[in-house]
Amino acid sequence: MRVLTVNAGSSSLKLRLLDDDEQVASHDVQRWRGEVEPIRDFFHEHGAQAVGHRVVHGGPKVLGPAVLDEPLLRYLTSLTDLAPLHQARALDGLRATSQCAPDTPAVVCVDTAFHTTLPEAAGTYALPKEWNRHWSLRRYGFHGLSHGYASRRGAELAGVAGGRVLSCHLGAGASLAAVRDGRCVDTTMGFTPDEGLVMATRSGSIDPGLLGWLVTSGKVEPDELFTTLQKRSGLAGLTGGSGDLRDVLAARADCDLDAELAYDVYAHSLLRHAGAMVAAMGGLDLLVFTGGVGEHQPPLRADLAGNLGFLGVEVDPDRNTATGSDADISSDSAAVRTVVVESREDVEIARQTREVLTRPAR
């Protein structure tokens, strides 16, 4: 089955046509604002038997891939304020594709579905139970399509069957997933994609008392606070400039003290959360790096691996420096394997789309 995958980011659009797992055509739009034309032109040129869409938030009702229909579209629209940077763009992709190919079956693949296996203790906030129940407050987790693919592909590369996998999706947005025997048992993002690691422009986890103080003391208006936490914090906030780790590393090499502190905060956040994920699994058999930063920043990989050395993690310096994707970078003597996996959410989206559309009718 030839599947067109539509992956709309906060400002970009990635279109991929897959025949089984082989990519036969692709097109990227770096600055996409919901226009129909790129999708229409790609579909008319290449065609597809089905369309699979990445959607960030599925809320408490969408627990796996599902065929798109009007009620589902309305429900996903109602979740937009929970992931405003991504949900609206994904919905633009859904509507544009439906307009271009109204007779082609479409499947929604949600990032949150991978984390539905979280134990209640890991997924529940310590808030009044009536709040949790009434407003469906819980830790949903994100980047699930990436974590699902990377943990499986990483195990193949390392020759590890099942076991305890720490999946590190590191990009402008970043999260970790603790995957034990193929099931996610903990993750760093929560009710929204803002919890967890320090990211490019997002602060990650912050003391709620600090946030309350900023608002109640009149220092910051609520709207400004949330905008700042999402778009002006993280690496960008600490440097006062770029949130791109490449720029931070370059400035750090030039002895920029703000960049040095920003990198140290970023790396410490990664280490702290990695330790929590390993503890949740009861140990570690495989460390996986994926995403733009995970695939292309050997210094960060080396730093995290070195700090996890007490667990048996050790990377080979030459392999680590030479590798960009799909390779084992472990030292020969390492007890825990470390691999780099090219982010292929398109493969996971296509797999889930085929699974839904070929499922026997009940």
Side-chain angles (χ1 to χ4, degrees), residues 107-157:
V107 173
V108 171
C109 304
V110 296
D111 270 314
T112 50
F114 182 70
H115 305 292
T116 57
T117 56
L118 286 180
E120 284 196 43
T124 303
Y125 286 114
L127 294 169
K129 62 182 182 181
E130 58 272 18
W131 285 19
N132 287 340
R133 186 181 305 117
H134 184 68
W135 293 312
S136 300
L137 305 182
R138 59 167 290 112
R139 301 186 66 248
Y140 288 102
F142 299 90
H143 294 135
L145 296 168
S146 178
H147 286 305
Y149 174 79
S151 58
R152 285 196 304 275
R153 177 61 176 151
E156 291 174 3
L157 291 170

Side-chain angles (χ1 to χ4, degrees), residues 65-110:
V67 175
L68 178 64
D69 57 19
E70 279 300 321
L72 177 56
L73 181 60
R74 286 195 297 271
Y75 176 70
L76 294 173
T77 302
S78 74
L79 303 174
T80 300
D81 60 344
L82 301 184
L85 294 178
H86 294 87
Q87 195 83 351
R89 281 290 176 263
L91 293 167
D92 287 339
L94 290 170
R95 296 186 183 102
T97 308
S98 296
Q99 180 179 334
C100 299
D103 298 324
T104 303
V107 173
V108 171
C109 304
V110 296

Side-chain angles (χ1 to χ4, degrees), residues 208-352:
L210 183 155
L211 304 180
W213 177 80
L214 286 172
V215 173
T216 59
S217 64
K219 301 289 190 297
V220 180
E221 291 298 318
D223 287 348
E224 180 187 356
L225 174 64
F226 289 115
T227 298
T228 299
L229 292 174
Q230 291 178 346
K231 298 182 179 180
R232 295 174 45 219
S233 298
L235 291 173
L238 290 169
T239 62
S242 174
D244 191 315
L245 186 59
R246 292 169 295 188
D247 296 334
V248 174
L249 288 171
R252 179 173 175 253
D254 288 338
C255 301
D256 183 308
L257 295 182
D258 287 338
E260 184 173 344
L261 176 61
Y263 178 80
D264 289 346
V265 170
Y266 183 94
H268 182 71
S269 170
L270 178 58
L271 175 63
R272 173 194 292 156
H273 285 92
M277 296 297 104
V278 171
M281 293 185 289
L284 182 64
D285 301 305
L286 176 64
L287 175 62
V288 178
F289 289 99
T290 193
V293 171
E295 294 170 40
H296 301 297
Q297 290 299 335
L300 182 68
R301 296 195 300 249
D303 284 348
L304 180 60
N307 285 322
L308 296 178
F310 68 96
L311 294 171
V313 179
E314 183 181 359
V315 299
D316 180 275
D318 293 333
R319 293 171 186 163
N320 183 40
T321 302
T323 296
S325 64
D326 281 24
D328 189 327
I329 60 172
S330 314
S331 68
D332 292 336
S333 61
V336 173
R337 311 310 294 173
T338 301
V339 299
V340 180
V341 173
E342 179 185 4
S343 182
R344 292 296 306 274
E345 290 169 321
D346 58 326
V347 172
E348 184 67 14
I349 294 167
R351 183 189 69 81
Q352 292 189 13

Side-chain angles (χ1 to χ4, degrees), residues 13-70:
L13 175 69
K14 296 179 181 179
L15 303 175
R16 302 288 185 268
L17 182 65
L18 282 80
D19 195 341
D20 290 329
D21 287 345
E22 181 182 353
Q23 184 184 120
V24 295
S26 67
H27 179 62
D28 291 350
V29 181
Q30 295 304 321
R31 296 184 181 278
W32 185 64
R33 295 178 175 85
E35 302 91 343
V36 174
E37 289 79 10
I39 298 174
R40 180 196 63 202
D41 294 346
F42 188 88
F43 186 85
H44 286 175
E45 180 178 358
H46 300 288
Q49 294 168 284
V51 181
H53 294 268
R54 177 200 174 205
V55 175
V56 168
H57 214 309
K61 295 182 180 180
V62 185
L63 306 181
V67 175
L68 178 64
D69 57 19
E70 279 300 321

